[in-house]
């Protein structure tokens, strides 16, 4: 996998501008903070992000991948101001669960998610070279 961060676009923080990869593509369904009983867990956006990202990574590992295989991630956010206010904590969760290599990413504000209690949803795809 190769990451491209051209200097004329400015230094990215928490994402890569472009990612190229060869291999088996794994599409990862959007994950929220659902537990094994299909109940949303976590009171705040940080706790819900941690669960949602953990769920995404669990799916990725089931397909034979690991966090470094992520090429693109989209985060759907119900309250963008709240998310941005907790960006540092969310970034720490990312580093703890997924490491310091970042995929191409987008954060998109939405009015609500499938489960009304959900504050964030994480979706992506990975490329496996194994």
């Amino acid at each position: 996998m190769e990451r491209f961060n051209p200097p004329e676009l400015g230094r990215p923080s928490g994402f890569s501008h472009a990612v190229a990869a060869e291999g088996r593509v794994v599409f990862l369904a959007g994950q929220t903070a659902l537990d094994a009983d299909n109940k949303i867990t976590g009171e705040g956006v940080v706790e819900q992000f941690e669960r949602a990202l953990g769920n995404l990574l669990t799916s990725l590992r089931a397909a034979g991948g690991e966090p470094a295989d992520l090429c693109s991630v989209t985060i759907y956010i119900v309250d963008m101001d709240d998310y941005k206010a907790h960006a540092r904590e969310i970034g720490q969760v990312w580093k703890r669960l997924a490491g310091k290599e970042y995929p191409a990413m987008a954060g998109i504000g939405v009015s609500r998610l499938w489960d009304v209690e959900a504050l964030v949803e994480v979706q992506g795809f990975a490329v496996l070279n194994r």
Side-chain angles (χ1 to χ4, degrees):
M1 187 169 315
E2 191 172 359
R3 290 169 174 81
F4 301 92
N5 292 302
E8 60 268 29
L9 294 181
R11 184 176 162 266
S13 178
F15 69 98
S16 292
H17 286 292
V19 177
E22 282 185 38
R24 181 175 161 219
V25 179
V26 178
F27 294 93
L28 300 161
Q31 298 291 326
T32 60
L34 286 174
D35 64 13
D37 295 321
N38 287 323
K39 293 190 170 88
I40 296 292
T41 63
E43 293 299 315
V45 68
V46 176
E47 297 84 8
Q48 286 201 18
F49 177 81
E50 182 167 0
R51 182 60 182 245
L53 179 59
N55 289 346
L56 184 88
L57 296 176
T58 296
S59 295
L60 176 57
R61 287 185 180 101
E66 58 188 45
D69 297 322
L70 288 168
C71 287
S72 181
V73 169
T74 303
I75 304 167
Y76 300 94
I77 304 157
V78 172
D79 184 340
M80 189 65 76
D81 291 334
D82 185 41
Y83 186 92
K84 289 176 79 173
H86 292 91
R88 184 173 302 271
E89 297 161 88
I90 290 167
Q92 290 170 350
V93 168
W94 179 277
K95 287 177 186 171
R96 186 167 35 81
L97 297 182
K100 294 182 180 180
E101 292 292 329
Y102 296 103
M105 295 181 76
I108 300 172
V110 297
S111 61
R112 68 159 281 188
L113 296 166
W114 184 266
D115 292 302
V116 71
E117 307 89 1
L119 302 174
V120 64
E121 183 168 338
V122 183
Q123 177 185 26
F125 75 87
V127 176
L128 312 184
N129 289 316
R130 300 173 253 329

